[in-house]
Amino acid sequence: ACVRGLYWSASSHSPTSGPPPGAISVLRMRWRLSTLRRVSFSWRPTHGSCAEDRALALPISNSAAERSEPLVTARCLPGQADGLELQVGRKVPSQERASPNPPSRIARVVRLTAVPNPRIVYLEPVPAEVEAIIRSRMPSGFALHVRDREEAVEAAIAEAEFVVVATTPLPSHAIAAGKRLLLIQHQGVGYEKTDVAAAAKMGVPVAVCPAGTTIGVAEHVLLLVLAVFKSLLLADASLRRGEWLQWELRPGSYELAGKKMGLVGFGRIGEAVARRAQVFEASVLACEKEPSRQLAVRAMGGQLLSIEDLLAEADVVSLHVPLTPETRHIINAHTLSAMLPTAVLINTARGPLVDEAALVTALRSGQLAGAGLDVFEHEPLPADHPLLQLPNVVLTPHISAGTKDALIAKMDACFANIGRVAGGDPPLNPVTL
């Protein structure tokens, strides 16, 4: 059961009176501070109408006293089959109990009730066909609300225990509206649009979802490379106009075999791209700072280079790093000038990794042969953006991980993580400050 507090009240129990009348013994209890404002435990009442083996994620005070050794007793509430009253306090050291004004052993009284159908809000306005897929993966015991495009984020999450988000921004004022939130679950691994610090202040963990991303993105990288190398858009459009450019396209068409695939970042997706590139008989160059991932590069026969050397040698440069202050505009006028004039740039990671104005200049001048982009500095891409006018660019609307297969895998992982938190356990893949 997912349990939330109905109201708080101060306790008047004296430090020597022991548990209040009707308190039950806790046969099994576990607790942890997954944030400074949350304690999780499970319990089994010895009598009364409460169901057995329930779990709770409980917000607690941020005071130093209550952060140390929370003390919990529980009793069933009269007439409420799923009601529970919890006494949350701390163990008082013997020297404090012996003082002239000993502190109360009970710090708070929390009255709670089980939420029969915890509410999950999916923040992305999606077509009915996509919503049907999401609902088909829903576990039992939860209620799902999919936000309408006209619905304010604050209104959508006001009554939610859980939020699943992909690209919708979650600034501090929006998070503050979610008074009941137990988890903000990202559908992917990017969380730069969520104010994680604001969530942490509210005691709400933020988690990411690595599942369902790797294969789709890796395949999309190869799709973009081949589309640029073979002038696919021009070949298709000219044929539809009645032109037959059997010979005209050959001087600007290339094979991936024998080329150098340069990967800036060698995490899960970078490695998956490398393996697919090797199947096409391309060699792998990689720029990676993490020692364990450097070992992975060497293990598959790749060559580790500095980013400067990689840009100077690679026929294809594909970006696979997170967006941070250090990586913002990692591709700029200076780095573009270091690339081969025959090279192709691929970005399926985060749009702001690339200075788009500098990229447009390089593509127009012939300083760079082509580009394949699935992400942009501002999304949706404005209708008057100069990238849309360039014939040597292939553009897709942030769909590299947008397959039905990936959506199913992501929803299964997201809902499983929500189930963990509803059951009193900390989420997997939490974001840390």
Side-chain angles (χ1 to χ4, degrees), residues 19 109 120 144 161 196 205 228 238 252 265 391 418 420:
V109 174
I120 303 173
L144 176 67
E161 281 76 33
V196 179
V228 175
S238 61
I418 286 171
R420 284 179 55 86

Side-chain angles (χ1 to χ4, degrees), residues 144-407:
L144 176 67
H145 170 68
V146 177
R147 184 174 73 92
D148 183 81
R149 191 172 300 278
E150 304 303 319
E151 184 179 10
V153 172
E154 294 86 346
I157 70 175
E159 301 296 320
E161 281 76 33
F162 303 97
V163 164
V164 178
V165 58
T167 61
T168 298
L170 273 177
S172 58
H173 64 85
I175 295 172
K179 303 297 184 184
R180 300 180 179 181
L181 284 178
L182 296 176
L183 175 67
I184 297 172
Q185 174 66 60
H186 270 267
Q187 183 173 309
V189 295
Y191 56 88
E192 62 273 5
K193 294 182 180 180
T194 294
D195 192 330
V196 179
K201 288 181 181 178
M202 291 182 61
V204 180
V206 178
V208 297
C209 177
T213 299
T214 304
I215 294 175
V217 176
E219 291 181 351
H220 203 82
V221 169
L222 272 295
L223 167 73
L224 293 174
V225 172
L226 295 174
V228 175
F229 269 11
K230 300 298 288 286
S231 302
L232 181 63
L233 299 187
L234 177 57
D236 178 83
S238 61
L239 184 60
R240 292 175 188 273
R241 292 194 301 264
E243 302 174 28
W244 190 261
L245 304 183
Q246 181 177 6
W247 299 99
E248 289 81 355
L249 295 177
R250 296 193 183 202
S253 296
Y254 301 93
E255 298 170 354
L256 182 53
K259 302 298 188 298
K260 296 178 180 179
M261 172 71 81
L263 303 170
V264 181
F266 202 79
R268 296 173 300 104
I269 297 174
E271 182 174 356
V273 172
R275 295 194 180 282
R276 285 158 176 78
Q278 286 180 327
V279 173
F280 279 83
E281 299 181 7
S283 58
V284 172
L285 314 178
C287 170
E288 174 59 57
K289 295 181 179 179
E290 176 62 38
S292 64
R293 302 309 303 161
Q294 291 178 346
L295 292 175
V297 175
R298 295 189 179 99
M300 66 178 305
Q303 183 180 0
L304 273 170
L305 297 174
S306 67
I307 188 169
E308 294 81 9
D309 289 341
L310 183 146
L311 294 174
E313 292 188 29
D315 298 296
V316 178
V317 174
S318 186
L319 306 180
H320 300 285
V321 291
L323 178 61
T324 67
E326 292 73 27
T327 61
R328 181 177 292 272
H329 284 188
I330 192 173
I331 298 299
N332 50 54
H334 174 71
T335 51
L336 285 165
S337 68
M339 294 175 63
L340 297 173
T342 55
V344 169
L345 175 70
I346 304 294
N347 188 12
T348 56
R350 286 291 179 265
L353 297 175
V354 177
D355 181 342
E356 289 175 359
L359 176 61
V360 168
T361 299
L363 290 167
R364 281 175 172 169
S365 67
Q367 185 181 14
L368 191 69
L373 308 175
D374 184 56
V375 289
F376 307 92
E377 289 195 84
H378 301 286
E379 297 180 359
L381 190 67
D384 60 349
H385 199 289
L387 281 170
L388 296 169
Q389 309 304 319
L390 299 177
N392 51 347
V393 180
V394 177
L395 309 172
T396 54
H398 205 148
I399 59 169
S400 61
T403 66
K404 181 177 180 179
D405 308 274
L407 180 61

